[in-house]
Amino acid sequence: MGGNQTWVTDFILVGLQLSTKMETFFFWIFSLLYIFSLLANGIILVLIYLNPSLHTPMYFFLSHLAILDISYASNNVPKMLVNLVTQNKTISFVPCITQTFLYLALAASECLILAAMSYDRFVAICHPLRYTIIMSWKACVALAATSWSCGFILSVVHTILLLRLPFCGPREVNHLFCEILAVLKLACANTFINQLVILAACVFVLVGPLCSMLVSYMHILRTILKMQSKESRRKAFSTCSSHLCVVGLFFGIAMLVYMVPDSEQREEQEKIMSLFHSLFNPMLNPLIYSLRNAQVKEAFHRALQKRFV
């Protein structure tokens, strides 16, 4: 950030253009949703930790997904809530860049964790006899560590390229938080390299994993249809459909935001989609996995019985 390149010391987060009454209304709605997402993901983590029956690769990756969702929401939502009830919507340069860095790192890590979860389901259904060998704890830890590392390394690259740009005005970030595409629009220099690296990163963390997941689920579907037991087919469809719901929501929105050509008409739509990513997706993930998963529901019922009986 050195020298005279960074002239702007803070930014203004434009957010949603709402009346004061509507801002107060959405503050309470978003606050409740945020608290609920923290509680839901927290319950998932506690249940996985306390129940030996959930100490399997599938729930190991699900615990990482819960941690990512808690971190993801906590990075963006608190500042968003503050801006809804205050007239001062400024954010200093360093916190803004930090928010951008964490947003990119956590989003990329979540994409790769979802891909690892897909691979786990592929091995469990298509190669059940070799499952414990292929998905050993060493392999699971390696996949999780690689997902987190790649996400943060990619984010470091984006952040370094962002910090090399001069920001001399305007100061208004037309977004709910310091999202990288919105911040890049304020740079007083050519951002072609930044845009190119973002596109390359999207291919790596979105297109590549999504293609591998589609191939995996084609094999999974073929294997499920060959199963003789209706109960086995139902159980396999249940766990896989839960994962596909999460993948569809997360990857679909991310690809619309980062891989569809930008336009002024899409700016408001991108705010809503980013809001869904930051607030609704972390809340929906534990609901999708818990409501459609018999083991999680059973573990939750046992925990309640121990608490109140």
Short mmCIF file of all heavy atoms in Angstrom, two decimals, residues 68-134:
data_model
loop_
_atom_site.label_atom_id
_atom_site.label_comp_id
_atom_site.label_asym_id
_atom_site.label_seq_id
_atom_site.Cartn_x
_atom_site.Cartn_y
_atom_site.Cartn_z
N LEU A 68 -16.63 -23.13 7.95
CA LEU A 68 -16.54 -22.16 6.86
C LEU A 68 -17.76 -21.27 6.81
O LEU A 68 -17.65 -20.05 6.62
CB LEU A 68 -16.37 -22.90 5.52
CG LEU A 68 -14.97 -23.42 5.21
CD1 LEU A 68 -15.01 -24.44 4.07
CD2 LEU A 68 -14.03 -22.28 4.85
N ASP A 69 -18.94 -21.85 7.01
CA ASP A 69 -20.18 -21.06 6.96
C ASP A 69 -20.24 -20.06 8.11
O ASP A 69 -20.68 -18.92 7.91
CB ASP A 69 -21.39 -21.99 7.00
CG ASP A 69 -21.66 -22.65 5.67
OD1 ASP A 69 -21.20 -22.13 4.64
OD2 ASP A 69 -22.31 -23.71 5.64
N ILE A 70 -19.82 -20.47 9.30
CA ILE A 70 -19.79 -19.54 10.44
C ILE A 70 -18.82 -18.39 10.15
O ILE A 70 -19.15 -17.21 10.37
CB ILE A 70 -19.39 -20.29 11.73
CG1 ILE A 70 -20.51 -21.23 12.18
CG2 ILE A 70 -19.06 -19.29 12.84
CD1 ILE A 70 -20.12 -22.15 13.32
N SER A 71 -17.65 -18.73 9.66
CA SER A 71 -16.63 -17.71 9.36
C SER A 71 -17.08 -16.81 8.22
O SER A 71 -16.88 -15.59 8.25
CB SER A 71 -15.30 -18.39 8.99
OG SER A 71 -14.89 -19.28 10.00
N TYR A 72 -17.67 -17.42 7.20
CA TYR A 72 -18.11 -16.70 6.01
C TYR A 72 -19.15 -15.64 6.37
O TYR A 72 -19.05 -14.48 5.96
CB TYR A 72 -18.70 -17.73 5.05
CG TYR A 72 -18.85 -17.30 3.62
CD1 TYR A 72 -17.76 -17.12 2.80
CD2 TYR A 72 -20.12 -17.10 3.08
CE1 TYR A 72 -17.90 -16.75 1.49
CE2 TYR A 72 -20.28 -16.74 1.76
CZ TYR A 72 -19.16 -16.56 0.97
OH TYR A 72 -19.31 -16.19 -0.34
N ALA A 73 -20.15 -16.06 7.15
CA ALA A 73 -21.20 -15.13 7.56
C ALA A 73 -20.66 -14.06 8.49
O ALA A 73 -21.00 -12.87 8.36
CB ALA A 73 -22.34 -15.90 8.23
N SER A 74 -19.79 -14.44 9.42
CA SER A 74 -19.26 -13.49 10.40
C SER A 74 -18.33 -12.46 9.78
O SER A 74 -18.10 -11.39 10.35
CB SER A 74 -18.52 -14.25 11.51
OG SER A 74 -19.41 -15.12 12.19
N ASN A 75 -17.77 -12.77 8.62
CA ASN A 75 -16.89 -11.82 7.94
C ASN A 75 -17.66 -10.66 7.34
O ASN A 75 -17.17 -9.52 7.33
CB ASN A 75 -16.12 -12.55 6.83
CG ASN A 75 -15.18 -11.62 6.08
OD1 ASN A 75 -14.41 -10.90 6.68
ND2 ASN A 75 -15.27 -11.64 4.76
N ASN A 76 -18.89 -10.92 6.85
CA ASN A 76 -19.63 -9.89 6.10
C ASN A 76 -20.84 -9.32 6.83
O ASN A 76 -21.09 -8.13 6.76
CB ASN A 76 -20.12 -10.49 4.77
CG ASN A 76 -18.98 -10.98 3.90
OD1 ASN A 76 -17.88 -10.46 3.96
ND2 ASN A 76 -19.25 -11.98 3.08
N VAL A 77 -21.57 -10.19 7.53
CA VAL A 77 -22.88 -9.78 8.05
C VAL A 77 -22.81 -8.73 9.16
O VAL A 77 -23.60 -7.78 9.14
CB VAL A 77 -23.68 -11.02 8.51
CG1 VAL A 77 -25.02 -10.61 9.12
CG2 VAL A 77 -23.92 -11.95 7.31
N PRO A 78 -21.92 -8.85 10.17
CA PRO A 78 -21.92 -7.83 11.24
C PRO A 78 -21.79 -6.40 10.73
O PRO A 78 -22.53 -5.50 11.18
CB PRO A 78 -20.72 -8.24 12.10
CG PRO A 78 -20.62 -9.71 11.92
CD PRO A 78 -20.98 -9.94 10.48
N LYS A 79 -20.86 -6.15 9.81
CA LYS A 79 -20.70 -4.80 9.26
C LYS A 79 -21.93 -4.40 8.46
O LYS A 79 -22.36 -3.24 8.49
CB LYS A 79 -19.44 -4.77 8.37
CG LYS A 79 -19.16 -3.41 7.72
CD LYS A 79 -18.94 -2.32 8.75
CE LYS A 79 -18.63 -0.99 8.10
NZ LYS A 79 -18.51 0.12 9.09
N MET A 80 -22.54 -5.35 7.77
CA MET A 80 -23.75 -5.10 7.02
C MET A 80 -24.88 -4.66 7.95
O MET A 80 -25.64 -3.73 7.66
CB MET A 80 -24.14 -6.37 6.27
CG MET A 80 -25.19 -6.20 5.20
SD MET A 80 -25.75 -7.83 4.59
CE MET A 80 -24.19 -8.60 4.20
N LEU A 81 -24.98 -5.33 9.11
CA LEU A 81 -26.01 -4.99 10.09
C LEU A 81 -25.78 -3.60 10.67
O LEU A 81 -26.73 -2.83 10.85
CB LEU A 81 -26.04 -6.04 11.21
CG LEU A 81 -26.49 -7.45 10.82
CD1 LEU A 81 -26.33 -8.40 11.98
CD2 LEU A 81 -27.93 -7.45 10.31
N VAL A 82 -24.53 -3.29 10.97
CA VAL A 82 -24.20 -1.96 11.51
C VAL A 82 -24.60 -0.88 10.52
O VAL A 82 -25.17 0.17 10.89
CB VAL A 82 -22.70 -1.87 11.84
CG1 VAL A 82 -22.30 -0.43 12.17
CG2 VAL A 82 -22.35 -2.78 13.01
N ASN A 83 -24.32 -1.10 9.24
CA ASN A 83 -24.64 -0.10 8.21
C ASN A 83 -26.13 0.11 8.03
O ASN A 83 -26.56 1.16 7.55
CB ASN A 83 -24.02 -0.52 6.87
CG ASN A 83 -22.51 -0.37 6.85
OD1 ASN A 83 -21.93 0.25 7.74
ND2 ASN A 83 -21.86 -0.95 5.86
N LEU A 84 -26.94 -0.88 8.41
CA LEU A 84 -28.39 -0.74 8.28
C LEU A 84 -28.98 0.19 9.33
O LEU A 84 -30.07 0.73 9.13
CB LEU A 84 -29.06 -2.11 8.39
CG LEU A 84 -28.97 -3.03 7.17
CD1 LEU A 84 -29.50 -4.42 7.49
CD2 LEU A 84 -29.72 -2.45 5.97
N VAL A 85 -28.28 0.40 10.45
CA VAL A 85 -28.83 1.21 11.54
C VAL A 85 -28.01 2.46 11.82
O VAL A 85 -28.28 3.18 12.79
CB VAL A 85 -28.97 0.37 12.83
CG1 VAL A 85 -30.05 -0.67 12.67
CG2 VAL A 85 -27.65 -0.27 13.23
N THR A 86 -27.01 2.74 11.01
CA THR A 86 -26.21 3.95 11.20
C THR A 86 -26.13 4.73 9.89
O THR A 86 -26.22 4.16 8.80
CB THR A 86 -24.77 3.62 11.65
OG1 THR A 86 -24.13 2.81 10.66
CG2 THR A 86 -24.77 2.91 12.99
N GLN A 87 -25.96 6.02 10.00
CA GLN A 87 -25.80 6.87 8.83
C GLN A 87 -24.37 6.81 8.29
O GLN A 87 -24.13 7.01 7.10
CB GLN A 87 -26.16 8.32 9.18
CG GLN A 87 -27.62 8.51 9.56
CD GLN A 87 -28.57 8.12 8.43
OE1 GLN A 87 -28.34 8.45 7.27
NE2 GLN A 87 -29.62 7.40 8.78
N ASN A 88 -23.43 6.53 9.19
CA ASN A 88 -22.02 6.45 8.79
C ASN A 88 -21.72 5.05 8.25
O ASN A 88 -21.56 4.10 9.01
CB ASN A 88 -21.12 6.76 9.99
CG ASN A 88 -19.65 6.75 9.62
OD1 ASN A 88 -19.29 6.76 8.44
ND2 ASN A 88 -18.79 6.74 10.62
N LYS A 89 -21.64 4.92 6.95
CA LYS A 89 -21.45 3.62 6.32
C LYS A 89 -20.02 3.44 5.80
O LYS A 89 -19.77 2.67 4.88
CB LYS A 89 -22.44 3.45 5.17
CG LYS A 89 -23.90 3.55 5.60
CD LYS A 89 -24.85 3.33 4.43
CE LYS A 89 -26.29 3.61 4.83
NZ LYS A 89 -26.78 2.71 5.86
N THR A 90 -19.08 4.15 6.42
CA THR A 90 -17.70 4.06 5.97
C THR A 90 -16.99 2.84 6.55
O THR A 90 -17.38 2.33 7.59
CB THR A 90 -16.91 5.33 6.37
OG1 THR A 90 -16.91 5.44 7.80
CG2 THR A 90 -17.51 6.57 5.76
N ILE A 91 -15.98 2.41 5.83
CA ILE A 91 -15.10 1.34 6.29
C ILE A 91 -13.69 1.70 5.90
O ILE A 91 -13.44 2.13 4.77
CB ILE A 91 -15.51 -0.04 5.70
CG1 ILE A 91 -14.60 -1.15 6.24
CG2 ILE A 91 -15.52 -0.02 4.18
CD1 ILE A 91 -15.07 -2.56 5.89
N SER A 92 -12.77 1.61 6.84
CA SER A 92 -11.38 1.99 6.57
C SER A 92 -10.76 1.06 5.53
O SER A 92 -11.23 -0.05 5.29
CB SER A 92 -10.55 1.95 7.86
OG SER A 92 -11.08 2.86 8.81
N PHE A 93 -9.67 1.54 4.93
CA PHE A 93 -9.04 0.80 3.84
C PHE A 93 -8.58 -0.59 4.27
O PHE A 93 -8.88 -1.59 3.60
CB PHE A 93 -7.85 1.60 3.30
CG PHE A 93 -7.21 1.00 2.08
CD1 PHE A 93 -7.72 1.25 0.82
CD2 PHE A 93 -6.12 0.15 2.18
CE1 PHE A 93 -7.15 0.69 -0.31
CE2 PHE A 93 -5.55 -0.42 1.07
CZ PHE A 93 -6.07 -0.16 -0.19
N VAL A 94 -7.86 -0.67 5.39
CA VAL A 94 -7.31 -1.97 5.83
C VAL A 94 -8.42 -2.96 6.18
O VAL A 94 -8.38 -4.11 5.72
CB VAL A 94 -6.32 -1.78 7.00
CG1 VAL A 94 -5.89 -3.14 7.55
CG2 VAL A 94 -5.09 -1.00 6.53
N PRO A 95 -9.44 -2.59 6.99
CA PRO A 95 -10.54 -3.53 7.24
C PRO A 95 -11.26 -3.96 5.96
O PRO A 95 -11.71 -5.10 5.85
CB PRO A 95 -11.47 -2.75 8.17
CG PRO A 95 -10.59 -1.78 8.85
CD PRO A 95 -9.57 -1.39 7.84
N CYS A 96 -11.36 -3.04 5.00
CA CYS A 96 -12.02 -3.36 3.74
C CYS A 96 -11.23 -4.43 2.98
O CYS A 96 -11.81 -5.42 2.51
CB CYS A 96 -12.15 -2.10 2.88
SG CYS A 96 -12.99 -2.37 1.30
N ILE A 97 -9.92 -4.24 2.88
CA ILE A 97 -9.08 -5.21 2.18
C ILE A 97 -9.07 -6.54 2.94
O ILE A 97 -9.08 -7.62 2.34
CB ILE A 97 -7.65 -4.68 2.02
CG1 ILE A 97 -7.66 -3.40 1.17
CG2 ILE A 97 -6.75 -5.73 1.38
CD1 ILE A 97 -8.24 -3.58 -0.22
N THR A 98 -9.08 -6.49 4.27
CA THR A 98 -9.13 -7.71 5.08
C THR A 98 -10.43 -8.47 4.82
O THR A 98 -10.44 -9.70 4.70
CB THR A 98 -9.02 -7.36 6.58
OG1 THR A 98 -7.80 -6.65 6.80
CG2 THR A 98 -9.04 -8.63 7.43
N GLN A 99 -11.54 -7.73 4.74
CA GLN A 99 -12.83 -8.34 4.46
C GLN A 99 -12.83 -9.01 3.08
O GLN A 99 -13.32 -10.13 2.92
CB GLN A 99 -13.93 -7.28 4.52
CG GLN A 99 -15.34 -7.84 4.53
CD GLN A 99 -16.39 -6.75 4.65
OE1 GLN A 99 -16.49 -5.88 3.78
NE2 GLN A 99 -17.17 -6.79 5.72
N THR A 100 -12.24 -8.34 2.10
CA THR A 100 -12.12 -8.91 0.76
C THR A 100 -11.28 -10.18 0.78
O THR A 100 -11.65 -11.20 0.17
CB THR A 100 -11.47 -7.88 -0.20
OG1 THR A 100 -12.24 -6.69 -0.21
CG2 THR A 100 -11.39 -8.44 -1.62
N PHE A 101 -10.15 -10.13 1.49
CA PHE A 101 -9.25 -11.29 1.57
C PHE A 101 -9.96 -12.50 2.18
O PHE A 101 -9.92 -13.61 1.63
CB PHE A 101 -8.02 -10.93 2.41
CG PHE A 101 -7.18 -12.11 2.81
CD1 PHE A 101 -6.33 -12.72 1.89
CD2 PHE A 101 -7.24 -12.62 4.10
CE1 PHE A 101 -5.57 -13.83 2.25
CE2 PHE A 101 -6.48 -13.72 4.46
CZ PHE A 101 -5.65 -14.32 3.54
N LEU A 102 -10.64 -12.30 3.31
CA LEU A 102 -11.32 -13.41 3.98
C LEU A 102 -12.49 -13.94 3.16
O LEU A 102 -12.74 -15.15 3.12
CB LEU A 102 -11.78 -12.98 5.37
CG LEU A 102 -10.67 -12.73 6.39
CD1 LEU A 102 -11.24 -12.14 7.68
CD2 LEU A 102 -9.91 -14.02 6.69
N TYR A 103 -13.21 -13.03 2.53
CA TYR A 103 -14.35 -13.43 1.69
C TYR A 103 -13.88 -14.37 0.58
O TYR A 103 -14.47 -15.43 0.36
CB TYR A 103 -15.00 -12.19 1.10
CG TYR A 103 -16.09 -12.47 0.10
CD1 TYR A 103 -17.35 -12.90 0.51
CD2 TYR A 103 -15.87 -12.30 -1.26
CE1 TYR A 103 -18.36 -13.15 -0.41
CE2 TYR A 103 -16.87 -12.55 -2.20
CZ TYR A 103 -18.10 -12.98 -1.76
OH TYR A 103 -19.09 -13.24 -2.67
N LEU A 104 -12.81 -13.99 -0.11
CA LEU A 104 -12.29 -14.81 -1.21
C LEU A 104 -11.72 -16.14 -0.69
O LEU A 104 -11.95 -17.20 -1.29
CB LEU A 104 -11.21 -14.04 -1.97
CG LEU A 104 -11.69 -12.81 -2.76
CD1 LEU A 104 -10.50 -12.02 -3.26
CD2 LEU A 104 -12.59 -13.23 -3.91
N ALA A 105 -10.97 -16.08 0.41
CA ALA A 105 -10.34 -17.28 0.95
C ALA A 105 -11.38 -18.29 1.40
O ALA A 105 -11.29 -19.49 1.08
CB ALA A 105 -9.43 -16.90 2.13
N LEU A 106 -12.39 -17.84 2.13
CA LEU A 106 -13.41 -18.75 2.66
C LEU A 106 -14.30 -19.30 1.54
O LEU A 106 -14.68 -20.47 1.56
CB LEU A 106 -14.26 -18.02 3.70
CG LEU A 106 -13.49 -17.60 4.98
CD1 LEU A 106 -14.34 -16.64 5.81
CD2 LEU A 106 -13.10 -18.81 5.81
N ALA A 107 -14.62 -18.45 0.55
CA ALA A 107 -15.46 -18.91 -0.56
C ALA A 107 -14.74 -19.97 -1.38
O ALA A 107 -15.34 -21.01 -1.73
CB ALA A 107 -15.84 -17.73 -1.45
N ALA A 108 -13.46 -19.74 -1.70
CA ALA A 108 -12.69 -20.72 -2.47
C ALA A 108 -12.52 -22.02 -1.69
O ALA A 108 -12.64 -23.12 -2.24
CB ALA A 108 -11.33 -20.13 -2.84
N SER A 109 -12.26 -21.90 -0.38
CA SER A 109 -12.11 -23.10 0.46
C SER A 109 -13.40 -23.90 0.49
O SER A 109 -13.37 -25.14 0.45
CB SER A 109 -11.70 -22.70 1.88
OG SER A 109 -10.46 -22.02 1.89
N GLU A 110 -14.53 -23.21 0.56
CA GLU A 110 -15.82 -23.92 0.60
C GLU A 110 -16.08 -24.66 -0.71
O GLU A 110 -16.59 -25.79 -0.70
CB GLU A 110 -16.97 -22.94 0.88
CG GLU A 110 -18.31 -23.61 0.99
CD GLU A 110 -19.32 -22.86 1.83
OE1 GLU A 110 -18.93 -21.91 2.53
OE2 GLU A 110 -20.50 -23.23 1.78
N CYS A 111 -15.71 -24.06 -1.84
CA CYS A 111 -15.87 -24.75 -3.13
C CYS A 111 -15.10 -26.07 -3.13
O CYS A 111 -15.61 -27.10 -3.56
CB CYS A 111 -15.34 -23.86 -4.26
SG CYS A 111 -16.37 -22.44 -4.63
N LEU A 112 -13.87 -26.03 -2.63
CA LEU A 112 -13.02 -27.22 -2.65
C LEU A 112 -13.46 -28.25 -1.61
O LEU A 112 -13.36 -29.46 -1.85
CB LEU A 112 -11.56 -26.82 -2.44
CG LEU A 112 -11.00 -25.90 -3.55
CD1 LEU A 112 -9.60 -25.42 -3.20
CD2 LEU A 112 -11.00 -26.61 -4.89
N ILE A 113 -13.97 -27.80 -0.46
CA ILE A 113 -14.51 -28.73 0.53
C ILE A 113 -15.74 -29.44 -0.02
O ILE A 113 -15.92 -30.65 0.18
CB ILE A 113 -14.87 -27.98 1.84
CG1 ILE A 113 -13.60 -27.64 2.62
CG2 ILE A 113 -15.82 -28.80 2.72
CD1 ILE A 113 -12.89 -28.83 3.24
N LEU A 114 -16.59 -28.72 -0.75
CA LEU A 114 -17.76 -29.34 -1.37
C LEU A 114 -17.33 -30.39 -2.41
O LEU A 114 -17.98 -31.44 -2.55
CB LEU A 114 -18.65 -28.27 -2.02
CG LEU A 114 -19.44 -27.39 -1.05
CD1 LEU A 114 -20.09 -26.24 -1.80
CD2 LEU A 114 -20.50 -28.19 -0.31
N ALA A 115 -16.25 -30.10 -3.12
CA ALA A 115 -15.72 -31.08 -4.08
C ALA A 115 -15.20 -32.32 -3.35
O ALA A 115 -15.40 -33.45 -3.81
CB ALA A 115 -14.61 -30.45 -4.92
N ALA A 116 -14.54 -32.11 -2.21
CA ALA A 116 -14.05 -33.24 -1.41
C ALA A 116 -15.22 -34.09 -0.88
O ALA A 116 -15.14 -35.32 -0.84
CB ALA A 116 -13.20 -32.73 -0.24
N MET A 117 -16.30 -33.43 -0.48
CA MET A 117 -17.49 -34.14 -0.02
C MET A 117 -18.09 -34.97 -1.15
O MET A 117 -18.57 -36.09 -0.93
CB MET A 117 -18.52 -33.15 0.53
CG MET A 117 -18.08 -32.44 1.79
SD MET A 117 -19.24 -31.16 2.32
CE MET A 117 -20.57 -32.17 2.97
N SER A 118 -18.06 -34.42 -2.35
CA SER A 118 -18.56 -35.17 -3.50
C SER A 118 -17.71 -36.41 -3.77
O SER A 118 -18.24 -37.49 -4.06
CB SER A 118 -18.56 -34.25 -4.74
OG SER A 118 -18.92 -34.96 -5.89
N TYR A 119 -16.40 -36.25 -3.66
CA TYR A 119 -15.50 -37.40 -3.86
C TYR A 119 -15.75 -38.47 -2.80
O TYR A 119 -15.76 -39.67 -3.10
CB TYR A 119 -14.05 -36.93 -3.81
CG TYR A 119 -13.04 -38.04 -3.95
CD1 TYR A 119 -12.89 -38.72 -5.15
CD2 TYR A 119 -12.24 -38.42 -2.86
CE1 TYR A 119 -11.96 -39.76 -5.28
CE2 TYR A 119 -11.31 -39.44 -2.98
CZ TYR A 119 -11.18 -40.11 -4.19
OH TYR A 119 -10.27 -41.14 -4.31
N ASP A 120 -16.00 -38.05 -1.57
CA ASP A 120 -16.30 -38.99 -0.48
C ASP A 120 -17.55 -39.80 -0.80
O ASP A 120 -17.58 -41.01 -0.60
CB ASP A 120 -16.49 -38.21 0.82
CG ASP A 120 -17.01 -39.08 1.94
OD1 ASP A 120 -16.26 -39.96 2.40
OD2 ASP A 120 -18.18 -38.89 2.35
N ARG A 121 -18.60 -39.13 -1.30
CA ARG A 121 -19.84 -39.84 -1.66
C ARG A 121 -19.61 -40.79 -2.83
O ARG A 121 -20.18 -41.88 -2.89
CB ARG A 121 -20.95 -38.85 -2.00
CG ARG A 121 -21.49 -38.03 -0.83
CD ARG A 121 -22.07 -38.90 0.26
NE ARG A 121 -21.06 -39.41 1.18
CZ ARG A 121 -21.17 -40.50 1.90
NH1 ARG A 121 -22.23 -41.24 1.81
NH2 ARG A 121 -20.21 -40.88 2.72
N PHE A 122 -18.77 -40.37 -3.77
CA PHE A 122 -18.46 -41.22 -4.93
C PHE A 122 -17.79 -42.52 -4.47
O PHE A 122 -18.18 -43.61 -4.90
CB PHE A 122 -17.56 -40.45 -5.90
CG PHE A 122 -16.89 -41.32 -6.92
CD1 PHE A 122 -17.60 -41.84 -7.99
CD2 PHE A 122 -15.53 -41.60 -6.82
CE1 PHE A 122 -16.98 -42.65 -8.93
CE2 PHE A 122 -14.91 -42.42 -7.76
CZ PHE A 122 -15.63 -42.94 -8.82
N VAL A 123 -16.80 -42.39 -3.59
CA VAL A 123 -16.09 -43.58 -3.10
C VAL A 123 -17.03 -44.45 -2.28
O VAL A 123 -17.04 -45.68 -2.41
CB VAL A 123 -14.85 -43.19 -2.28
CG1 VAL A 123 -14.16 -44.42 -1.70
CG2 VAL A 123 -13.86 -42.40 -3.13
N ALA A 124 -17.84 -43.83 -1.41
CA ALA A 124 -18.74 -44.59 -0.53
C ALA A 124 -19.76 -45.41 -1.31
O ALA A 124 -20.09 -46.54 -0.92
CB ALA A 124 -19.45 -43.63 0.42
N ILE A 125 -20.26 -44.86 -2.41
CA ILE A 125 -21.33 -45.54 -3.16
C ILE A 125 -20.78 -46.43 -4.27
O ILE A 125 -21.27 -47.54 -4.49
CB ILE A 125 -22.32 -44.50 -3.72
CG1 ILE A 125 -23.06 -43.81 -2.56
CG2 ILE A 125 -23.32 -45.14 -4.67
CD1 ILE A 125 -23.90 -42.63 -2.95
N CYS A 126 -19.77 -45.95 -4.96
CA CYS A 126 -19.25 -46.70 -6.12
C CYS A 126 -18.16 -47.71 -5.75
O CYS A 126 -17.96 -48.69 -6.47
CB CYS A 126 -18.71 -45.73 -7.16
SG CYS A 126 -19.97 -44.61 -7.83
N HIS A 127 -17.46 -47.47 -4.62
CA HIS A 127 -16.40 -48.39 -4.19
C HIS A 127 -16.52 -48.67 -2.69
O HIS A 127 -15.59 -48.38 -1.92
CB HIS A 127 -15.02 -47.81 -4.51
CG HIS A 127 -14.82 -47.47 -5.95
ND1 HIS A 127 -14.58 -48.43 -6.92
CD2 HIS A 127 -14.86 -46.28 -6.60
CE1 HIS A 127 -14.45 -47.84 -8.10
NE2 HIS A 127 -14.63 -46.54 -7.93
N PRO A 128 -17.65 -49.22 -2.25
CA PRO A 128 -17.89 -49.39 -0.80
C PRO A 128 -16.89 -50.32 -0.12
O PRO A 128 -16.55 -50.09 1.05
CB PRO A 128 -19.31 -49.96 -0.75
CG PRO A 128 -19.54 -50.57 -2.10
CD PRO A 128 -18.78 -49.72 -3.05
N LEU A 129 -16.42 -51.34 -0.83
CA LEU A 129 -15.49 -52.29 -0.21
C LEU A 129 -14.11 -51.68 0.03
O LEU A 129 -13.38 -52.13 0.93
CB LEU A 129 -15.36 -53.55 -1.08
CG LEU A 129 -16.66 -54.35 -1.29
CD1 LEU A 129 -16.41 -55.55 -2.19
CD2 LEU A 129 -17.24 -54.80 0.05
N ARG A 130 -13.76 -50.68 -0.73
CA ARG A 130 -12.46 -50.02 -0.58
C ARG A 130 -12.56 -48.68 0.12
O ARG A 130 -11.58 -47.94 0.21
CB ARG A 130 -11.82 -49.85 -1.96
CG ARG A 130 -11.58 -51.15 -2.72
CD ARG A 130 -11.08 -50.87 -4.12
NE ARG A 130 -9.86 -50.08 -4.10
CZ ARG A 130 -9.41 -49.36 -5.14
NH1 ARG A 130 -10.12 -49.31 -6.25
NH2 ARG A 130 -8.29 -48.68 -5.04
N TYR A 131 -13.77 -48.36 0.62
CA TYR A 131 -14.02 -47.03 1.18
C TYR A 131 -13.07 -46.68 2.33
O TYR A 131 -12.46 -45.62 2.35
CB TYR A 131 -15.47 -46.92 1.64
CG TYR A 131 -15.81 -45.58 2.25
CD1 TYR A 131 -15.93 -44.44 1.46
CD2 TYR A 131 -16.01 -45.44 3.64
CE1 TYR A 131 -16.23 -43.21 2.01
CE2 TYR A 131 -16.33 -44.22 4.19
CZ TYR A 131 -16.43 -43.11 3.38
OH TYR A 131 -16.73 -41.88 3.93
N THR A 132 -12.94 -47.59 3.29
CA THR A 132 -12.11 -47.29 4.47
C THR A 132 -10.63 -47.16 4.11
O THR A 132 -9.88 -46.47 4.80
CB THR A 132 -12.27 -48.40 5.53
OG1 THR A 132 -11.99 -49.67 4.94
CG2 THR A 132 -13.68 -48.39 6.10
N ILE A 133 -10.22 -47.81 3.02
CA ILE A 133 -8.82 -47.71 2.60
C ILE A 133 -8.58 -46.40 1.87
O ILE A 133 -7.62 -45.67 2.16
CB ILE A 133 -8.44 -48.90 1.69
CG1 ILE A 133 -8.59 -50.22 2.45
CG2 ILE A 133 -7.02 -48.74 1.15
CD1 ILE A 133 -8.43 -51.45 1.59
N ILE A 134 -9.48 -46.08 0.91
CA ILE A 134 -9.31 -44.85 0.12
C ILE A 134 -9.52 -43.61 0.98
O ILE A 134 -8.73 -42.68 0.96
CB ILE A 134 -10.27 -44.86 -1.09
CG1 ILE A 134 -9.95 -46.02 -2.02
CG2 ILE A 134 -10.17 -43.53 -1.85
CD1 ILE A 134 -10.96 -46.21 -3.14
#
